[in-house]
Structures are given as C-alpha cells and as structure tokens.
Amino acid sequence: MSLLHIEDLHLSLRSFEGEAHVLAGVEIELQPGEIWGLAGETGCGKSVTGLSVSRLVNTPPARYLGGRILFEGRDLLTLDERAMRELRGSRIGMIFQDPSTNLNPSLRVGEQIADVALEAGRKAPEILDVDAKAGRGERRRAARALAAKMLERVGIRDAAQRARDYPHQFSGGMRQRVLIAMALVARPRLLIADEPTTALDVTLQAQILALLRELVAETGTAVLLITHNLGVVAQICSHVAVMYAGRVVESGRMDEVLRTPQHPYTRALLAALPHPGLERGRLSNLPGRVPDLVRPPPGCRFAPRCERAQADCDQGPPPRVACSPSHQAACRHLEGRS
Ligand code: SF4
C-alpha cells in the first residue's frame, strides 16, 4: 500500500467568470521516505493539490468533482474535520512559504513547537520519551526539552535560550528553520512543503534544503515539495511530478525525468533554466500563458503552447504513456513514438 495515493482528483473553483476546473485528474503516488517535487508554473494547481491533501481547501467556493486522496489507505476526502485535525501536525506535517504568517507572533517559538509535540505525544508517548502514564507537568517539560532539541537540530545556536524568544526576534531564514522544526517534531509520515525556500537567498535555500533532506532521511518521512523551481527539485527530490493546468503531464524518478524529459512542457521548462556556459541572450522562454480554466482547451491543455501539437491533440485528455517502468508522460506524440 502506498503512503499517499492521489487518484484521479478533480476540483473546481467558483469565480466571477464561472466555474474553473482547477484540478483535472491529478494522479500522484508516494511511498514512505520518497521526496516528490510537484513542479510547474504559477497557477498550474500545485498548491491546491498540497492543500487538498491537508484538506485545507475551502469548500465552497471549491468543489471536489471526483477522485480520492488515499493516505495510509484512508480516503481523506471522506473524513470529517475532527479526524483531519487528528492527522494534521502528527501524521501530516506542513511547511508553508512565508514563515512570518505561519508562526503565532504572540507565543514564544519554543512553546509553539512544544504544543505540536504535546499533541503528537498524546497518541504516541514515545515521541516525548515519557511513560504513557506520565502526568501533564512531566509531559509539558518533556515537550519543551524536545522543542529545544529540535531547534538545535535545525541549526539554531543557544537553542534552549532562543526557544524563549518570539518569532519577530528571528531572521527570515531562522524562522523557516523554526517551521521545519515544528513540522518534524511530531515525526509525521508525510510532510507537505509549499515553496519552503522561495523567500530565501540562494545560499540559505541550499542550507535549508540540505537540512530538510537530512532530517527526513532520519525520520523516514515522505515529502511532497511544491515548487516552481526545477533547480530545487534537482537538489533534493527522489521523484518529480510536473503539473500543467491542473494535470500531471510527466512524472517519475527525478534523474530520469530531468535528464530525459519526454513531455514538451517539461522540455520547455528545462530549456528556460539558466545554466553555466549559457551564451548571453540565448535563454529560451515559453511563449503564451496557462489557459483559462473556466474554458480550457478541449483536449490536451498544453496544445495552444505546444510546438508538437497535431489535430488529434484536441480529442480528450492525452493518455499517460510509460516511458520506462519509473517514468510516465501524458502526451499523444512523444518523440520517437509518433
Ligand atoms: Fe503537445 Fe499534443 Fe502532446 Fe499535448 S498531446 S503535449 S498538444 S503533442
């Protein structure tokens, strides 16, 4: 059984212009310990997919039209809010892009991490390393000690002292480390990280990604890393799913997909990446825009921007084709096959 299987997920969102079919058959499957990059341009449905797994999409205005989100065999779309609250934080951790909006400004950071540890420790006392019958005070002390340990683990000096500080006393990079500590203190089985390094400079970004990779390897946590940056995918991910206009167009092992991309969209994204040795003025860009999802193209949603498009590309969503046992692409005219 997979840890997470997003199966043919469809979601629409009501807007002034009409109902936008924002997710149109998303398919992703994660095994324990894998780090999946969910990549694509802004507006392709990456964040809505991540929020759907945490069940943080507001319905309405959104509406699930079909599909399932199986986590440890249970369909998250059928769980009530109480059951979801039990999972969030303890089994499914989350890190979002802007650390300043995800930390409570009026609470010491150590207390915020300790609260998550305490909650997780209710069901799994081994997290706090205390006896199952331990009293409230003992558990709170253990949770505070664990919070300080996690802060130290994510590279914050004088962790015990800094645990008493408030979020505004930390820099942006340090706040992001605090969020990582908070997300991993409960040893979740799955971590959803939405653009966790986008607001940081490149050096800090590399440090945070290395830290994240190290920590998830220690805990065996699987990660769904949402990013628009294929460079980030190459640094940390074992697998990647490339999304376009609400569909996964290519997916598989990261090294295969990035070394031998098959889908015209993935190729175009990679061609638009700067790299050493690139001649000045030779960086290519992808013309056009993500389509209007209220009135999407009838077949392949990439057709209006695709150099390989042919008449039959309008005839329904392109089928997923296995390029290898660990690599798939959804296109009717993959190179060498048509
Ligand atoms: Fe391009 Fe057609 Fe493939 Fe879509 S199905 S990516 S339009 S060739």
Side-chain angles (χ1 to χ4, degrees):
M1 181 178 62
S2 309
L3 177 70
L4 174 73
H5 188 180
I6 304 178
E7 213 181 65
D8 196 24
L9 188 65
H10 291 255
L11 174 136
S12 72
L13 198 56
R14 221 182 305 131
S15 68
F16 286 122
E17 289 81 27
E19 191 141 4
H21 201 166
V22 171
L23 301 182
V26 174
E27 191 78 38
I28 303 170
E29 201 169 346
L30 267 82
Q31 306 301 332
E34 290 180 345
I35 304 182
W36 274 77
L38 190 54
E41 287 167 284
T42 303
C44 67
K46 309 179 298 282
S47 291
V48 183
T49 303
L51 287 170
S52 292
V53 177
S54 322
R55 278 274 308 278
L56 291 173
V57 175
N58 288 330
T59 49
R63 196 159 62 97
Y64 288 100
L65 305 173
R68 300 194 293 174
I69 303 176
L70 297 170
F71 175 69
E72 296 180 321
R74 285 200 291 171
D75 183 2
L76 299 180
L77 293 180
T78 64
L79 299 187
D80 60 20
E81 183 49 29
R82 189 170 164 198
M84 275 312 298
R85 268 204 303 270
E86 296 266 305
L87 287 178
R88 283 188 214 113
S90 57
R91 308 290 290 169
I92 303 177
M94 290 164 283
I95 306 175
F96 295 104
Q97 182 176 344
D98 183 359
S100 53
T101 55
N102 290 288
L103 287 168
N104 185 331
S106 61
L107 272 183
R108 298 177 199 278
V109 298
E111 289 303 308
Q112 298 189 51
I113 300 171
D115 283 345
V116 177
L118 261 182
E119 183 57 29
R122 272 196 313 120
K123 279 158 276 165
E126 69 278 6
I127 287 176
L128 296 178
D129 199 17
V130 292
D131 191 90
K133 293 190 187 117
R136 215 178 145 144
E138 190 183 344
R139 283 190 291 119
R140 170 59 71 180
R141 276 193 297 281
R144 284 188 180 135
L146 181 57
K149 200 162 137 197
M150 279 307 290
L151 285 176
E152 193 179 325
R153 190 65 199 79
V154 296
I156 291 180
R157 285 199 206 128
D158 303 322
Q161 182 62 36
R162 299 293 327 257
R164 301 178 56 76
D165 287 343
Y166 292 91
H168 73 269
Q169 293 170 282
F170 290 80
S171 66
M174 287 293 160
R175 282 199 290 261
Q176 200 55 287
R177 286 170 192 259
V178 170
L179 274 193
I180 292 176
M182 198 183 320
L184 292 178
V185 71
R187 295 188 219 152
R189 298 273 289 139
L190 172 69
L191 177 68
I192 314 276
D194 192 349
E195 304 275 10
T197 57
T198 300
L200 307 177
D201 66 50
V202 205
T203 316
L204 211 46
Q205 177 173 297
Q207 283 175 15
I208 298 275
L209 290 176
L211 173 67
L212 194 57
R213 189 172 45 200
E214 212 179 297
L215 288 174
V216 296
E218 275 172 23
T219 54
T221 301
V223 181
L224 187 61
L225 175 74
I226 294 163
T227 178
H228 65 279
N229 186 341
L230 285 175
V232 166
V233 170
Q235 277 182 65
I236 183 173
C237 296
S238 59
H239 295 76
V240 60
V242 180
M243 281 190 80
Y244 184 77
R247 288 186 185 139
V248 173
V249 295
E250 184 158 9
S251 62
R253 284 176 51 103
M254 181 275 286
D255 46 355
E256 268 189 69
V257 174
L258 297 194
R259 274 198 203 126
T260 53
Q262 300 295 313
H263 195 280
Y265 178 58
T266 316
R267 287 168 174 252
L269 279 185
L270 284 165
L273 276 182
H275 57 83
L278 184 79
E279 273 178 58
R280 187 182 264 267
R282 293 303 299 269
L283 191 64
S284 73
N285 71 342
L286 176 58
R289 302 173 51 190
V290 175
D292 170 10
L293 296 181
V294 175
R295 283 165 289 274
C300 175
R301 291 183 164 194
F302 188 57
R305 301 170 83 182
C306 182
E307 287 179 347
R308 297 179 64 88
Q310 298 179 34
D312 62 348
C313 294
D314 281 349
Q315 292 166 14
R320 284 193 302 154
V321 178
C323 311
S324 85
S326 48
H327 183 180
Q328 296 185 322
C331 173
R332 291 182 191 280
H333 301 288
L334 292 174
E335 216 153 307
R337 289 172 194 253
S338 61

